[in-house]
C-alpha cells in the first residue's frame, strides 16, 4: 500500500488528472436545415471552450471529451441525436438552437440520465410549464427579451408601425409585446403580418409593407430573415426596420450592408464590458483572426457554466451537475450571474445594439444596456 501511494504521488499532475472520470459532452446542434448557418457558430463556440479548457489541463482535473450530433433543424432528429449521444455516455448535452428541439430533448433527460445546457433557445416553456431540473438556460428567455422590449420601445421614434413576425409562438409573443407598448404610448400598429416557417417568397408581404406607409417595421424573424432582407431590397422597401433576434452576426454576414443602421436586441457583442468577455474576445481573435459572433459567444458562455457545474458538483453525473448549478452564482461573459433556483434560468443583462462599422467589420454595436433586475419573476407554472 505504501509503495502504491508513493507511486501515485510520483505521477505527474496530468497523469493523475487522466485517472479521473472525463467530462463527456454531447454537442447537439444544426449542421443541416434552416438553422445550419447559426449551428456552425454554436459548434465553433463550444469547441473553442473545450479546446481552451483542455489546453489548461481540463476542468477540475478532468479531460473533456466532445461528441457531436446533427439535429437537422427538426425536433425528431434532435431528440434522436441527443438520445444516441446520451446513451453512448456523452450525457452532458449542449447546443440546440430551435426551442422546439430543446423542448423535445428536455422532456427525455431523466429517462436518458442526461442534462441539457440551453445557450440559444428562448421559448418561455423551457422555464415555465415544461421546466426541468436537469435543464439550465444560460441565455435570455423570451420573457426577459420582452421585458426589455417593453422598456426599449418607449424610446423608439415614430407613431405608426407595422409588424412582420414568424408565425409561431415566439413571433406572436414578440408582436404582442411590441404592440402593447406602442399602444400604451398612444401610437398604433396598423399592419400585422405573420409568416409561416419555410417561406421562400416574401414578395406578397413586402408589397403590403410598402403600401402600409408606416414609420418603421418591427421584424421578428430568424430562419427567414436573410431571404426577407434581400428581397426587401430587390423590391425597393425603404421603410426603416427594427429587429427582434435579427441583429445577429450570421444574418449580417449573409446580407452584406443591407442591415447597416438597423437597431435590435442582441444576446452578446464584443462590447460587453467584463473581464471574462475581454479575455474571451482576445483569445478568440488570436486563434481565428476575427471577432467572435454573438452565437459563438453565447455557446462558449454556456460551456463555461457547464464546466463550473462540474467543478461545483465534484462530479460528472448530470443530475449532480445541474443540482450544483441551481441557485449558484457563476462566472460568465457578462460578469457574475445567478442561476435562479426557481426555474434554472440564468439572470444576465440585456442589450440593444445597432448594426454599424466597428473594429473594421460591420457588426452589432451596443447602444443601450438593461440590468438583469428587469427580468420578470419565475413563473408559478414551473414545478421542479
Amino acid at each position: 500500500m505504501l509503495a502504491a501511494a508513493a507511486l501515485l504521488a510520483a505521477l505527474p499532475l496530468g497523469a493523475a488528472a487522466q485517472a479521473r472520470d472525463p467530462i463527456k459532452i454531447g454537442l447537439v446542434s444544426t449542421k443541416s436545415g434552416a438553422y445550419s448557418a447559426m449551428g456552425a457558430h454554436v459548434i465553433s463556440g463550444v469547441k473553442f471552450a473545450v479546446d481552451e479548457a483542455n489546453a489548461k489541463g481540463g476542468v477540475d482535473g478532468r479531460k473533456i471529451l466532445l461528441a457531436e450530433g446533427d439535429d437537422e433543424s427538426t425536433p425528431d432528429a434532435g431528440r434522436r441525436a441527443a438520445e444516441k449521444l446520451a446513451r453512448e455516455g456523452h450525457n452532458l448535452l449542449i447546443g440546440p438552437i430551435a426551442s422546439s428541439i430543446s423542448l423535445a430533448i428536455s422532456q427525455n433527460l431523466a429517462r436518458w440520465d442526461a442534462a441539457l445546457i440551453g445557450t440559444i433557445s428562448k421559448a418561455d416553456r423551457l422555464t415555465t410549464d415544461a421546466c426541468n431540473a436537469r435543464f439550465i438556460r444560460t441565455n435570455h428567455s423570451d420573457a426577459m427579451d420582452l421585458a426589455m422590449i417593453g422598456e426599449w420601445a418607449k424610446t423608439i421614434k415614430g407613431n405608426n408601425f407595422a409588424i412582420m413576425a414568424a408565425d409561431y409562438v415566439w413571433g406572436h409573443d414578440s408582436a404582442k409585446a411590441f404592440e402593447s407598448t406602442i399602444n400604451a404610448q398612444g401610437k398604433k400598429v396598423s399592419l400585422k403580418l405573420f409568416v409561416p416557417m419555410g417561406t421562400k417568397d416574401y414578395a406578397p408581404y413586402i408589397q403590403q409593407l410598402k403600401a402600409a406607409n408606416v414609420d418603421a417595421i418591427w421584424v421578428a424573424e430568424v430562419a427567414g430573415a436573410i431571404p426577407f432582407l434581400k428581397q426587401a431590397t430587390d423590391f425597393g422597401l425603404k421603410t426603416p426596420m427594427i429587429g427582434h433576434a435579427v441583429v445577429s452576426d450570421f444574418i449580417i454576414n449573409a446580407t452584406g450592408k443591407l442591415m447597416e443602421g438597423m437597431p435590435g436586441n442582441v444576446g452578446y457583442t464584443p462590447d460587453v464590458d467584463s473581464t471574462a468577455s475581454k479575455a474571451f474576445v482576445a483569445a478568440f481573435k488570436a486563434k481565428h483572426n476575427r471577432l467572435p459572433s454573438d452565437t459563438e459567444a453565447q455557446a462558449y458562455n454556456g460551456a463555461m457554466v457547464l464546466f463550473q457545474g462540474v467543478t461545483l458538483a465534484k462530479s460528472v453525473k448530470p443530475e449532480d451537475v445541474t443540482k450544483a448549478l441551481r441557485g449558484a452564482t457563476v462566472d460568465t461573459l457578462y460578469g457574475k450571474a445567478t442561476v435562479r433556483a426557481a426555474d434554472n434560468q440564468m439572470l444576465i443583462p440585456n442589450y440593444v445594439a445597432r448594426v454599424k462599422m466597428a473594429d473594421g467589420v460591420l457588426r452589432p454595436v451596443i447602444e443601450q444596456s438593461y440590468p438583469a433586475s428587469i427580468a420578470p419573476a419565475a413563473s408559478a407554472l414551473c414545478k421542479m
Side-chain angles (χ1 to χ4, degrees):
M1 289 177 64
L2 288 172
L7 178 61
L8 181 61
L11 285 173
L13 181 60
Q18 290 175 13
R20 307 194 72 180
D21 289 338
I23 303 169
K24 301 180 76 173
I25 296 176
L27 174 51
V28 184
S29 200
T30 306
K31 298 183 179 183
S32 57
Y35 298 104
S36 58
M38 199 174 185
H41 286 219
V42 170
I43 293 166
S44 170
V46 172
K47 284 185 173 180
F48 184 82
V50 170
D51 291 344
E52 182 182 62
N54 277 335
K56 295 177 181 178
V59 172
D60 194 31
R62 304 173 191 271
K63 183 179 180 181
I64 306 163
L65 303 177
L66 185 67
E68 300 177 38
D70 182 8
D71 64 31
E72 302 174 26
S73 299
T74 71
D76 284 345
R79 177 188 50 75
R80 291 194 301 270
E83 181 171 10
K84 182 175 185 296
L85 288 168
R87 295 201 183 282
E88 290 174 349
H90 291 269
N91 54 2
L92 292 170
L93 304 170
I94 192 170
I97 295 169
S99 294
S100 57
I101 297 172
S102 290
L103 284 163
I105 294 171
S106 181
Q107 64 187 7
N108 288 287
L109 292 173
R111 186 164 65 88
W112 303 335
D113 187 22
L116 175 62
I117 304 295
T119 69
I120 301 294
S121 300
K122 289 178 173 288
D124 286 333
R125 286 203 65 206
L126 285 161
T127 45
T128 59
D129 62 306
C131 71
N132 189 317
R134 290 170 176 255
F135 172 78
I136 306 282
R137 175 155 47 198
T138 61
N139 62 296
H140 305 99
S141 68
D142 277 343
M144 292 167 72
D145 279 351
L146 297 179
M148 186 201 72
I149 287 167
E151 295 300 313
W152 171 37
K154 296 173 184 177
T155 70
I156 295 174
K157 295 180 180 180
N159 295 298
N160 185 18
F161 299 87
I163 292 172
M164 194 196 79
D167 193 11
Y168 56 93
V169 173
W170 169 75
H172 284 267
D173 285 349
S174 174
K176 182 179 179 181
F178 179 74
E179 184 175 21
S180 64
T181 303
I182 290 300
N183 289 344
Q185 298 176 61
K187 303 176 181 181
K188 68 177 181 178
V189 172
S190 58
L191 176 67
K192 287 186 288 186
L193 303 174
F194 293 97
V195 184
M197 283 284 289
T199 295
K200 304 295 184 186
D201 181 10
Y202 284 83
Y205 303 100
I206 294 168
Q207 294 300 338
Q208 293 181 70
L209 292 168
K210 288 179 70 175
N213 194 31
V214 293
D215 297 317
I217 304 165
W218 179 259
V219 180
E221 172 70 291
V222 179
I226 294 170
F228 166 68
L229 290 166
K230 290 181 176 179
Q231 291 174 39
T233 299
D234 292 342
F235 283 96
L237 179 61
K238 304 292 186 182
T239 311
M241 298 184 195
I242 307 161
H244 182 191
V246 175
V247 178
S248 184
D249 289 291
F250 86 96
I251 299 176
I252 296 169
N253 294 341
T255 54
K257 292 188 175 182
L258 301 184
M259 293 179 66
E260 191 165 10
M262 182 187 293
N265 72 302
V266 291
Y268 173 90
T269 84
D271 309 304
V272 170
D273 188 16
S274 74
T275 301
S277 177
K278 291 174 182 176
F280 165 63
V281 170
F284 192 96
K285 191 172 182 179
K287 181 174 182 178
H288 295 289
N289 197 32
R290 64 174 177 84
L291 294 172
S293 72
D294 52 334
T295 304
E296 284 169 323
Q298 289 177 95
Y300 175 92
N301 189 65
M304 278 180 67
V305 174
L306 172 57
F307 298 160
Q308 289 172 80
V310 171
T311 300
L312 290 168
K314 299 294 181 185
S315 169
V316 294
K317 294 181 180 179
E319 189 173 19
D320 292 347
V321 171
T322 50
K323 277 185 177 179
L325 286 172
R326 189 174 178 183
T329 297
V330 293
D331 293 313
T332 77
L333 291 182
Y334 310 89
K336 293 284 186 182
T338 299
V339 179
R340 188 164 55 191
D343 58 0
N344 284 352
Q345 170 66 56
M346 194 166 77
L347 301 176
I348 52 178
N350 216 332
Y351 309 95
V352 172
R354 188 177 301 272
V355 180
K356 61 176 71 174
M357 291 296 296
D359 305 301
V361 296
L362 192 66
R363 68 170 180 85
V365 176
I366 292 174
E367 291 190 336
Q368 294 172 258
S369 299
Y370 296 84
S373 59
I374 72 167
S379 170
L381 296 174
C382 179
K383 309 291 184 184
M384 292 196 298

